[in-house]
Amino acid sequence: MKALRLQPILAVLLLSVSLQTLLTAPTKAEDNDALARSILEKADEIRFPRESFQVNVNIQTTSPDMPDDLHKYQVLSKGNENSIVRITEPASERGQTILMKGRDLWIFMPSVSQPIRLSLSQRLTGQVANGDIARANFTGDYHPQLLRTDTIDNEKYYVLELTGVDRSVTYQKVLLWVEKSSFRPYRAKFYSLSNRLLKTCRYINYEMILGKQRPTRLVMEDALKQGEVSILDYSDMKLRDLPDKIFTKNYLKRLE
């Protein structure tokens, strides 16, 4: 009789354990979200180091109905949340400095007494927005979703859809192709709030820099104006100790 009385109790205990397992086990959607975020984090680490660094960026823009344009910048970055972009060429813009803190952006101009507020999505030059050069933090700015896996030239790529965390980000939506075997960014498509394709980008010319294979050239093409292309060339990337005090509006005038 005792064995018979124990059976219902054991059944209740087993059901309780099963329910607890179901409640605490990750869902398939949660697993996919975690995978998408992991892929994006690894792609971000390939694009730029986590440590504080300095890099030079040349941006050459060509357009069918305009003369070629060349702009040169020096970028100082700390922790993906703090950046300074110094314009070194052309001479007419030399001395202008852009400060980014989080997703807040200001430009200091020698002829103006106070810094001017900017947005990440405003055009810097050619097909390049302020956020393209000042803030390259996909992980902090977007919610990633893994859409599918594509095969291109016998290589498999994750395809991520990145949705902006709010309207202050550079683009409201990004489609990003990441090489499955290496997590290298391969190409991206950038969209507006109305889901209009603005431009495409290719990540090329990978070189071993600071311990990782990193893209040294980005090719951005206007999706609306055929033939307008901006090429970003990165060079002389190096780690650099950057104190917090330089990432302030008051320090811009003193930056050398």
Side-chain angles (χ1 to χ4, degrees):
M1 294 295 293
K2 288 183 178 180
L4 291 174
R5 286 198 296 270
L6 285 173
Q7 285 180 355
I9 297 173
L10 289 173
V12 170
L13 289 173
L14 288 172
L15 179 61
S16 176
V17 170
S18 298
L19 287 173
Q20 184 66 27
T21 301
L22 287 173
L23 290 172
T24 58
T27 65
K28 185 176 180 181
E30 288 172 336
D31 286 340
N32 287 341
D33 288 346
L35 175 59
R37 185 164 186 83
S38 175
I39 294 167
L40 188 59
E41 288 174 349
K42 290 174 181 176
D44 267 353
E45 289 174 11
I46 286 176
R47 292 164 66 221
F48 297 105
R50 287 185 175 184
E51 302 91 341
S52 302
F53 68 92
Q54 172 183 313
V55 67
N56 296 330
V57 187
N58 292 354
I59 302 178
Q60 178 84 38
T61 298
T62 58
S63 180
D65 54 359
M66 296 288 290
D68 289 359
D69 176 77
L70 176 64
H71 276 69
K72 296 184 178 183
Y73 305 87
Q74 183 186 72
V75 180
L76 309 177
S77 181
K78 184 173 185 176
N80 285 327
E81 293 292 322
N82 297 283
S83 294
I84 288 174
V85 180
R86 304 172 64 189
I87 303 175
T88 57
E89 285 190 29
S92 59
E93 298 178 29
R94 190 175 300 145
Q96 296 183 20
T97 304
I98 295 172
L99 169 67
M100 182 201 76
K101 291 187 69 66
R103 285 191 287 274
D104 293 323
L105 211 64
W106 297 268
I107 184 169
F108 169 78
M109 305 173 71
S111 59
V112 179
S113 60
Q114 294 296 323
I116 300 169
R117 189 70 177 262
L118 300 174
S119 73
L120 291 170
S121 60
Q122 282 179 270
R123 181 172 295 200
L124 176 67
T125 182
Q127 289 306 302
V128 182
N130 291 325
D132 290 324
I133 189 170
R135 182 175 175 85
N137 184 9
F138 283 159
T139 304
D141 289 351
Y142 297 94
H143 298 301
Q145 180 183 2
L146 180 57
L147 294 182
R148 62 183 186 271
T149 300
D150 283 353
T151 300
I152 304 171
D153 295 331
N154 296 320
E155 192 69 49
K156 292 188 180 297
Y157 295 86
Y158 294 114
V159 184
L160 300 178
E161 181 180 72
L162 312 182
T163 305
V165 296
D166 57 38
R167 293 194 177 188
S168 71
V169 298
T170 310
Y171 307 101
Q172 290 305 303
K173 187 180 84 171
V174 181
L175 289 183
L176 180 66
W177 280 256
V178 178
E179 190 175 66
K180 192 172 182 179
S181 61
S182 66
F183 298 101
R184 292 182 184 182
Y186 174 67
R187 71 182 178 200
K189 292 185 177 182
F190 302 102
Y191 294 82
S192 68
L193 184 62
S194 62
N195 206 35
R196 182 181 66 176
L197 179 61
L198 300 173
K199 56 188 148 184
T200 62
C201 176
R202 290 181 290 122
Y203 301 86
I204 61 175
N205 290 18
Y206 277 80
E207 295 180 10
M208 182 60 73
I209 300 172
L210 300 179
K212 288 186 182 292
Q213 288 283 334
R214 306 184 192 275
T216 62
R217 172 169 287 189
L218 276 61
V219 181
M220 290 190 168
E221 300 181 52
D222 193 326
L224 306 174
K225 188 176 181 181
Q226 188 173 7
E228 183 161 313
V229 179
S230 291
I231 297 175
L232 294 76
D233 284 310
Y234 291 78
S235 63
D236 300 321
M237 181 182 287
K238 58 187 176 184
L239 299 182
R240 180 173 170 183
D241 183 27
L242 299 171
D244 291 336
K245 68 179 182 179
I246 72 171
F247 298 99
T248 61
K249 289 184 283 186
N250 292 334
Y251 196 81
L252 289 179
K253 289 183 180 180
R254 300 165 50 196
L255 186 65
E256 297 182 356

